[in-house]
Amino acid sequence: MKYKSGNQCTDCIRWEQDQEWAGTLVKNFSLVTYNDFAKEMVAQFKFRGDYVLAAVFAAFMKKKLSSIQFDVMVPIPLSDERLYERGFNQSEALIQACGHEPRRLLSRIHTEKQSKKSRSERIHLSQVFQIVHTIPNQKILLIDDIYTTGSTLRHAAKCLKEAGAHSISSVTFARG
């Protein structure tokens, strides 16, 4: 894989070398490579509303979830505007399809779509998440559909860490 160095992805190495971000996210697990087939499936699910694909993706996720210790699963939230536009939160759909209850600990400030931003713009985002509920000393597992630069997950993890979370890991369906 072009984005790995040894047993660690180069994004994680880069994030951990930055003192502002070091230690915010313990580890991310991605289940498939974001190749042309995965792109089409995620687009069908996320942008064309094929909600039933959550069950297909969950089949991949359940096995990984059984090997991770966590207290609560937290979806990456959508802004109210994006949720209205899309009709569902894909991260919550994945959690529910895996048989878990999503804990909505974060809210998101509405901004331009991530897919419209360059890699550099994604990495240098300002904080878009806010804490809705605190649950100190919990092992939190963030769930999202795609890991591209790690920025979304790191920002969410930082917000949760500052609110007292014990640790934050994440699972994404695909790695871009």
Side-chain angles (χ1 to χ4, degrees):
M1 292 183 167
K2 66 181 179 186
Y3 47 82
K4 282 185 87 172
S5 176
N7 197 22
Q8 194 171 23
C9 86
T10 52
D11 273 341
C12 291
I13 294 168
R14 187 174 38 250
W15 284 106
E16 289 301 315
Q17 289 173 343
D18 186 330
Q19 289 186 346
E20 181 181 354
W21 298 99
T24 55
L25 187 66
V26 173
K27 187 170 187 169
N28 178 68
F29 304 91
S30 294
L31 305 174
V32 302
T33 300
Y34 196 50
N35 59 20
D36 288 343
F37 183 73
K39 283 181 187 176
E40 179 55 32
M41 291 297 97
V42 169
Q44 183 77 23
F45 171 55
K46 187 173 174 177
F47 301 118
R48 294 191 286 263
D50 196 348
Y51 190 87
V52 75
L53 285 173
V56 175
F57 299 156
F60 289 86
M61 296 180 85
K62 285 178 182 175
K63 186 175 180 183
K64 177 48 75 181
L65 293 177
S66 68
S67 69
I68 302 170
Q69 291 187 349
F70 60 91
D71 296 315
V72 295
M73 295 176 79
V74 176
I76 293 296
L78 299 177
S79 67
D80 291 341
E81 293 87 344
R82 191 80 65 234
L83 183 59
Y84 178 79
E85 176 184 294
R86 190 167 298 158
F88 70 101
N89 178 322
Q90 71 277 5
S91 299
E92 286 189 17
L94 292 172
I95 292 170
Q96 290 167 336
C98 289
H100 294 268
E101 187 64 33
R103 292 289 305 267
R104 297 177 187 100
L105 304 180
L106 299 168
S107 66
R108 186 180 195 136
I109 299 165
H110 185 69
T111 59
E112 183 182 15
K113 290 180 179 179
Q114 288 284 75
S115 59
K116 304 282 183 194
K117 296 177 182 171
S118 69
R119 181 175 178 80
S120 178
E121 289 171 328
R122 290 178 186 202
I123 290 172
H124 298 101
L125 283 176
S126 56
Q127 182 58 276
V128 296
F129 297 108
Q130 299 173 323
I131 289 293
V132 175
H133 300 286
T134 59
I135 49 169
N137 300 317
Q138 298 290 299
K139 293 178 185 170
I140 294 176
L141 186 62
L142 288 168
I143 302 295
D144 204 3
D145 54 352
I146 305 167
Y147 180 111
T148 306
T149 63
S151 183
T152 298
L153 292 168
R154 298 269 174 185
H155 278 82
K158 186 171 187 179
C159 198
L160 291 163
K161 189 85 173 179
E162 289 171 355
H166 176 271
S167 63
I168 303 103
S169 297
S170 57
V171 172
T172 61
F173 174 68
R175 172 68 165 89

